[in-house]
Amino acid sequence: HTCFIEENNYTIVNHSGVNFVLDLAIKIKSRLLLQLHKNGLEGQELAIASSLLLGYDEEVSDELTNAYAATGTIHVLSVSGLHIGIVYLMLNFLLGFIANTSRGRMLKGILIVLSVWMFALISGLSPAAVRASVMFTLLITGSTFRLQTNPINTLLASAFLMLLWNPLLITDVGFQLSYLALGGILLFQMPVYNWLQFKNKLIDKIWALSSVSIAAQLTTFPISLFYFHQFTLSFLIANLLIIPLSTVIMYGAILLLIFSPFEILTKYFAFGLQLVIRSMNEAANLMSKIPGTVFSNWHISFIELMLIYLMIIFVSLFLFSKSRRLLWLSLICLFIFVCSTLINYYNQMSRKELIVYHIKNESCAAIFYGHKIVQLGKPNKDVATHEIESESRVFQKKTFCSGEIISINDFKIAVVETLYYFTEKPIVDAVLLRKNPKINVARLGKCFPGATLIADGSNSFSKCIRWKKTADSLHLKFWNTYEQGAFRLKK
């Protein structure tokens, strides 16, 4: 939900100073962004490099974002465990020569931990980056002191520490996806990998990488359906191509920054980096347009989300233990899921509702009936996002005309913009007052008996208040969207 308040409706009760560490991180990020631009990167290539390396994704176009989302590789555009892992592997390789002694191992561990956290800090401390940094800190600590570690325990320990710091992270979508993905990889990657055996080493490596993607999808696809209402089948091919390319881009961008004092080298580095990024973008665009690979407009409730996860848990346990009871439990969950889906579909089909929104200086309304939506007035993003399920509906648009009676399904709306009086007394559900019409509220009430008079955001606030006082004194039904919010009428 989004709320708006006027300037004189809030008071600053306290003011804290700038956090030195975060301020330093923002300054470093800004300088690195500027350096990437100076070194020859520009346009969407600069946007992608900045997103991969620094977590700055504001400049990535909607078209590219949708393409990566449609291929199931949107995670590469924000700093996450993948990127922290790439930094860790690079530092682990470069600092390997000092790990021959106990002091050397400790120095190496401290340098890697500091570098990983600095990278996470510069990227904006996203939940995925913090989660990965906490995990790698625990892993590096274990390896430095030669301690045995369990990956699941390490994952849960990092989650516990993050929730101890901020319990509300449990509601963050990035946090949920990040932990579910890594949990799926730790639990299901080896069982999935063991499904097939290949003697060819190259094919075996490809299958190993594919098994990682499949394992992550097993635990994240339900929550992706719940939040994003789509599922893609091209993730398998896309990850095989996008992840290696994004790794090359990250290393290339780091080298570009390291060698920035040498203009001759950076010129060639930037040219090569532009080509790789452009190739990755083209690959994402092409794969996103493969027909039949993206299943969109899937809308599931929270109960259905829990049922899907219960099915995954019961089926997984059944495959390990072969207990028929678990199989029956999964079938019961499937039956309840199907019933819930049918009930929701019926409720959508039987829905009839009129909504008049409050949008300043504009008139905007929508009529929902069955799987259809008629948008009235100027198109506005608020209408499209008010009901997420509108993505799966037939969407129609209609403009307002003064003096007309809009009749759609069981709803009738009279539109009044000027000094206009109807000759008859039509029976309507609502009368929409637009653009500060010169009206007589009493005569309007007699002209439309029983109807609700609605003053929306296209009118001035003072007129709406004056109309409402008059209507209340005459016992007429009046709705002022400034004070009462959106008008809703269900049938």
Side-chain angles (χ1 to χ4, degrees):
H1 301 275
T2 304
C3 299
F4 299 93
I5 56 173
E6 298 294 333
E7 188 176 358
N8 58 351
N9 286 345
Y10 66 87
T11 303
I12 297 174
V13 294
N14 192 17
H15 183 273
S16 58
V18 177
N19 185 297
F20 172 75
V21 177
L22 290 177
D23 183 54
L24 178 63
I26 291 169
K27 288 178 179 177
I28 293 172
K29 179 191 281 192
S30 300
R31 292 190 65 177
L32 293 176
L33 284 169
L34 184 62
Q35 199 64 48
L36 286 173
H37 180 64
K38 283 183 177 179
N39 288 340
L41 292 181
E42 56 186 14
Q44 286 304 298
E45 287 74 29
L46 173 62
I48 293 295
S50 303
S51 180
L52 284 170
L53 189 62
L54 304 171
Y56 181 76
D57 57 359
E58 280 81 357
E59 300 299 326
V60 180
S61 67
D62 291 340
E63 182 185 357
L64 268 181
T65 302
N66 293 333
Y68 281 97
T71 56
T73 55
I74 190 69
H75 58 279
V76 303
L77 296 184
S78 59
V79 174
S80 61
L82 171 67
H83 306 81
I84 301 289
I86 291 170
V87 172
Y88 166 77
L89 290 173
M90 180 185 69
L91 293 172
N92 193 51
F93 173 75
L94 293 175
L95 299 175
F97 68 96
I98 65 172
N100 297 324
T101 63
S102 59
R103 288 186 177 180
R105 281 198 311 273
M106 188 169 292
L107 177 61
K108 175 188 171 185
I110 292 171
L111 290 173
I112 293 176
V113 168
L114 289 175
S115 301
V116 162
W117 276 104
M118 179 56 70
F119 182 74
L121 187 65
I122 292 171
S123 68
L125 290 176
S126 67
V130 173
R131 184 267 305 161
S133 300
V134 172
M135 277 205 64
F136 278 110
T137 300
L138 296 174
L139 288 171
I140 293 164
T141 303
S143 62
T144 300
F145 293 98
R146 303 280 179 90
L147 301 174
Q148 263 191 327
T149 58
N150 183 301
I152 294 293
N153 286 344
T154 305
L155 179 69
L156 295 175
S158 68
F160 174 76
L161 290 173
M162 287 187 67
L163 292 174
L164 196 64
W165 170 58
N166 182 7
L168 288 179
L169 279 176
I170 195 70
T171 64
D172 183 86
V173 182
F175 180 89
Q176 295 169 13
L177 284 171
S178 180
Y179 275 91
L180 284 169
L182 194 51
I185 292 169
L186 294 176
L187 291 171
F188 298 118
Q189 191 269 329
M190 282 308 297
V192 171
Y193 173 73
N194 291 330
W195 288 349
L196 301 172
Q197 300 292 331
F198 298 99
K199 293 182 179 180
N200 186 290
K201 288 187 177 180
L202 177 61
I203 297 175
D204 186 64
K205 289 289 184 184
I206 293 172
W207 171 240
L209 185 58
S210 301
S211 67
V212 172
S213 297
I214 294 170
Q217 285 291 330
L218 278 173
T219 50
T220 57
F221 87 88
I223 207 164
S224 296
L225 289 178
F226 181 70
Y227 285 117
F228 310 118
H229 319 292
Q230 70 174 23
F231 176 72
T232 177
L233 292 177
S234 60
F235 73 90
L236 206 54
I237 302 171
N239 277 295
L240 289 174
L241 187 61
I242 301 296
I243 289 178
L245 286 176
S246 65
T247 305
V248 172
I249 292 166
M250 271 201 70
Y251 286 142
I254 292 170
L255 290 174
L256 185 65
L257 291 171
I258 292 173
F259 292 105
S260 57
F262 308 100
E263 290 186 12
I264 297 175
L265 288 175
T266 55
K267 180 180 177 181
Y268 293 106
F269 262 117
F271 178 75
L273 200 57
Q274 291 258 128
L275 287 178
V276 178
I277 296 173
R278 199 172 293 133
S279 301
M280 187 175 76
N281 292 342
E282 287 296 323
N285 274 318
L286 287 172
M287 284 185 284
S288 69
K289 294 173 183 175
I290 300 174
T293 57
V294 180
F295 297 90
S296 56
N297 305 324
W298 284 34
H299 301 273
I300 61 174
S301 64
F302 180 76
I303 293 174
E304 291 167 347
L305 173 69
M306 292 296 103
L307 288 169
I308 294 174
Y309 274 118
L310 284 174
M311 281 189 278
I312 292 172
I313 292 169
F314 289 142
V315 170
S316 302
L317 292 174
F318 167 75
L319 293 174
F320 283 111
S321 66
K322 305 299 181 183
S323 171
R324 290 186 179 181
R325 183 180 297 175
L326 294 168
L327 185 60
W328 277 109
L329 286 172
S330 64
L331 291 174
I332 290 170
C333 289
L334 178 62
F335 175 75
I336 297 171
F337 176 82
V338 172
C339 292
S340 176
T341 304
L342 290 174
I343 291 169
N344 288 337
Y345 181 81
Y346 172 77
N347 289 335
Q348 285 186 9
M349 286 297 295
S350 59
R351 179 187 180 186
K352 295 178 181 179
E353 185 175 12
L354 163 68
I355 302 178
V356 178
Y357 300 91
H358 177 77
I359 300 172
K360 195 171 183 180
N361 300 323
E362 295 292 344
S363 289
C364 196
I367 294 176
F368 299 82
Y369 60 100
H371 280 273
K372 294 182 180 180
I373 293 179
V374 178
Q375 178 181 285
L376 305 169
K378 186 176 180 179
N380 190 288
K381 287 183 179 180
D382 289 344
V383 179
T385 57
H386 180 81
E387 297 289 341
I388 297 175
E389 73 232 26
S390 63
E391 298 168 11
S392 61
R393 295 169 177 258
V394 179
F395 205 80
Q396 300 174 355
K397 295 181 180 180
K398 184 176 175 60
T399 56
F400 287 115
C401 293
S402 181
E404 73 168 333
I405 294 179
I406 299 171
S407 181
I408 299 173
N409 201 259
D410 293 338
F411 294 100
K412 287 187 177 181
I413 310 165
V415 182
V416 176
E417 292 182 14
T418 59
L419 188 59
Y420 183 94
Y421 299 104
F422 291 83
T423 55
E424 299 178 359
K425 292 185 178 181
I427 302 300
V428 297
D429 299 297
V431 178
L432 181 62
L433 307 177
R434 300 181 67 237
K435 299 182 179 179
N436 299 303
K438 295 179 181 179
I439 59 168
N440 183 300
V441 176
R443 292 184 65 182
L444 201 61
K446 291 178 181 179
C447 188
F448 300 100
T452 302
L453 308 180
I454 305 170
D456 65 8
S458 66
N459 304 287
S460 68
F461 177 72
S462 58
K463 274 199 172 184
C464 293
I465 296 295
R466 194 160 58 247
W467 289 337
K468 191 172 190 315
K469 284 183 179 178
T470 306
D472 289 345
S473 66
L474 297 170
H475 305 290
L476 298 175
K477 290 187 286 185
F478 193 94
W479 191 276
N480 178 9
T481 61
Y482 277 99
E483 292 183 319
Q484 297 167 275
F487 171 80
R488 305 184 72 154
L489 176 64
K490 295 182 180 181
K491 286 195 176 183

